[in-house]
Amino acid sequence: TAVGFCPAGNGFVLGAVGLVGVALVVALAAWAARSLSVQETALFINVVVASLHNVSYAIVIPTAPALADALGLGPAYSGALISVYMVGVCAGVVLMTLPLQWRPGLWRAGPSLMRWSAVPNILGATLYCAVLFLAAADVPLHSLSGLPLAARAISGLGLGLSDQYRVVATVHLLASAERPVWQAHCAFAAMFGIGLGALAAASLGALNVCRVRGGDMQGA
């Protein structure tokens, strides 16, 4: 494949992106608090979080085929590794929709809801990184084939929870005339996150942090 499977390197980049993402949210939140209204600040933070969630969706795309090869599985596993994230997203949307319908005022608990939605995303990313580092420690990968799929689905659950809350919060916080602009911002942020995630993983492969030759990458 064009980008080889480098367990330690891929685990490092996933962790690094997560730390940079947290720092980015804190910095942007501080800026938004000074420049935007309370309503716009809340939505702005939600949009940034949605972008980071989409980074976590796309960051495995360039290396998924090589991971499937390392597991001794075929292209179907590679496709499942990418797409199962969206299965988790759908589950998250449903899980957030139901309590918001049962308790219409629950949307006001935005900070708590966003913190809880971050939990599955962090857990899923941690589990995925753990599998990669176990692979680097020569743990047999064939017994771990279900863990990356589970990790991806759990991460997607976090995106679904936060994204559905953002949609509901937008309706409550903004007048109808202002909503299209914020929806456009969110769409741009999501696409930017997808592009950034794939670019980060592809750049890692190009840097060859594992210092392996092309012929050796599949076993790295």
Side-chain angles (χ1 to χ4, degrees):
T1 57
V3 180
F5 174 55
C6 168
N10 280 277
F12 171 79
V13 78
L14 285 168
V17 168
L19 292 176
V20 171
V22 171
L24 181 63
V25 169
V26 172
L28 290 175
W31 168 83
R34 296 182 178 181
S35 307
L36 303 175
S37 67
V38 174
Q39 293 88 343
E40 290 175 332
T41 299
L43 290 172
F44 181 78
I45 293 173
N46 286 340
V47 167
V48 172
V49 170
S51 180
L52 293 175
H53 279 316
N54 279 282
V55 169
S56 70
Y57 160 66
I59 201 168
V60 307
I61 292 175
T63 54
L67 176 56
D69 289 342
L71 290 167
L73 302 170
Y77 182 86
S78 174
L81 193 63
I82 297 168
S83 60
V84 73
Y85 189 95
M86 289 303 173
V87 176
V89 171
C90 292
V93 168
V94 173
L95 288 177
M96 181 59 76
T97 299
L98 293 177
L100 288 174
Q101 286 185 334
W102 292 334
R103 295 177 56 190
L106 186 61
W107 71 272
R108 298 180 184 276
S112 296
L113 292 175
M114 292 300 290
R115 283 194 293 268
W116 280 109
S117 71
V119 170
N121 196 257
I122 294 172
L123 287 177
T126 301
L127 179 59
Y128 192 84
C129 289
V131 171
L132 296 178
F133 280 108
L134 286 174
D138 295 327
V139 174
L141 291 178
H142 296 285
S143 61
L144 303 176
S145 60
L147 289 182
L149 294 175
R152 294 285 290 161
I154 294 170
S155 288
L157 181 69
L159 173 58
L161 291 170
S162 63
D163 204 47
Q164 183 62 13
Y165 171 75
R166 178 194 57 78
V167 172
V168 175
T170 300
V171 174
H172 289 285
L173 292 174
L174 295 178
S176 58
E178 299 174 300
R179 293 172 196 164
V181 174
W182 278 97
Q183 288 297 99
H185 290 335
C186 189
F188 172 81
M191 295 304 102
F192 179 80
I194 291 174
L196 181 61
L199 180 62
S203 298
L204 174 70
L207 289 173
N208 190 16
V209 297
C210 287
R211 299 293 188 270
V212 292
R213 294 183 298 272
D216 299 329
M217 274 191 176
Q218 296 300 331

